């Protein structure tokens, strides 16, 4: 990871023609790089960039849900390179049951209505404060961005197995974490509680 790569992540990315974000009740956007499964409903999350702390928290949240809800497909889309995405996924704990799709050209993002953000979206005082609190409270800090852009917006969507959008949440700010409980509820799936920690039977017990 070089200073030049980090600097590149703050440069304005090439302009893309961005479609309107899909609305609830409309057919999910189609693209050859992302064919949605038809055997089960799907929750898809578009990450900001590999290195962003809120993308890391979102991805960990997504993997946690993926292990508890095998009746739903979970997909994460990254616009960092395949190599950078793979390294980042390993660093943040693995993908578990989440399918990771790399969209380095940001074509899927544009197809799903997710364009480039404003400076306020990324660097508002509240967002910067939440970034600090996330590091202090959960030890999730900003990581170097090997590729991709920090200006790409994220978002999350829930799609039923017939390909209809049931829940749509383009991120309003960079610090937004998608409400996956609401996503599952829109699909008629009841979110399962987090299992209790395992009881230790070794050591001093």
């Amino acid at each position: 990871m070089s200073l030049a790569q980090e600097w590149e992540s703050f440069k304005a990315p090439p302009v893309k023609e961005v479609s309107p974000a899909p609305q609830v009740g409309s057919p999910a956007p189609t693209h050859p790089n992302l064919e949605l499964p038809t055997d089960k409903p799907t929750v898809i999350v578009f990450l900001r960039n590999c290195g962003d702390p809120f993308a890391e928290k979102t991805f960990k949240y997504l993997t946690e849900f993926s292990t508890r809800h095998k009746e739903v497909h979970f997909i994460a889309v990254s616009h960092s390179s395949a190599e950078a995405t793979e390294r980042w996924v390993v660093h943040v704990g693995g993908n578990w049951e989440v399918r990771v799709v790399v969209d380095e050209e940001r074509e899927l993002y544009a197809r799903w209505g997710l364009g480039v953000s404003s400076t306020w979206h990324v660097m508002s005082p509240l967002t910067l404060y939440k970034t600090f609190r996330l590091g202090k409270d959960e030890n999730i800090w900003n990581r170097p961005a090997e590729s991709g852009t920090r200006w790409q917006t994220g978002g999350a969507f829930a799609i039923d197995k017939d390909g209809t959008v049931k829940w749509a949440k383009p991120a309003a700010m960079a610090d937004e974490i998608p409400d996956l409980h609401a996503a599952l509820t829109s699909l008629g799936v009841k979110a399962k509680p987090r299992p209790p920690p395992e009881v230790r039977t070794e050591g001093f017990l």
Side-chain angles (χ1 to χ4, degrees):
M1 174 63 205
S2 68
L3 185 61
Q5 286 175 309
E6 185 71 9
W7 174 249
E8 284 294 321
S9 73
F10 281 100
K11 287 186 176 180
V15 176
K16 307 285 290 186
E17 183 177 346
V18 179
S19 302
Q23 301 296 308
V24 173
S26 67
T30 57
H31 193 280
N33 292 343
L34 181 61
E35 294 185 5
L36 297 176
T38 57
D39 59 327
K40 295 187 288 189
T42 299
V43 172
I44 178 171
V45 173
F46 289 83
L47 303 169
R48 288 193 62 244
N49 72 285
C50 294
D52 176 76
F54 296 102
E56 180 171 334
K57 180 171 182 177
T58 296
F59 188 74
K60 289 180 174 179
Y61 193 34
L62 194 67
T63 59
E64 181 183 321
F65 269 67
S66 76
T67 61
R68 299 207 306 264
H69 293 280
K70 303 295 180 65
E71 70 274 34
V72 177
H73 288 291
F74 292 88
I75 299 174
V77 181
S78 163
H79 73 276
S80 295
S81 69
E83 296 81 5
T85 299
E86 183 175 6
R87 282 191 290 270
W88 179 81
V89 166
V90 171
H91 287 157
V92 303
N95 61 314
W96 297 93
E97 302 296 328
V98 176
R99 174 187 166 198
V100 179
V101 175
V102 173
D103 178 35
E104 201 168 356
E105 298 301 320
R106 299 181 294 119
E107 293 180 359
L108 295 175
Y109 285 80
R111 190 75 181 86
W112 287 74
L114 303 174
V116 175
S117 66
S118 65
T119 302
W120 183 261
H121 180 100
V122 177
M123 296 183 176
S124 74
L126 182 57
T127 295
L128 295 177
Y129 174 74
K130 288 183 177 180
T131 302
F132 172 75
R133 289 309 328 168
L134 184 59
K136 292 288 288 183
D137 297 341
E138 302 183 39
N139 199 32
I140 299 178
W141 299 94
N142 188 62
R143 296 176 185 267
E146 295 184 42
S147 69
T149 172
R150 295 186 184 276
W151 302 108
Q152 176 62 54
T153 58
F157 304 86
I159 304 96
D160 67 17
K161 64 181 182 179
D162 296 321
T164 301
V165 176
K166 307 301 286 186
W167 179 81
K169 190 64 175 174
M173 297 295 288
D175 56 66
E176 188 170 314
I177 306 296
D179 185 351
L180 298 184
H181 286 91
L184 292 182
T185 298
S186 74
L187 297 171
V189 176
K190 184 177 180 180
K192 299 173 185 176
R194 178 180 295 174
E198 294 183 12
V199 177
R200 294 185 58 188
T201 58
E202 74 280 1
F204 292 102
L205 297 180

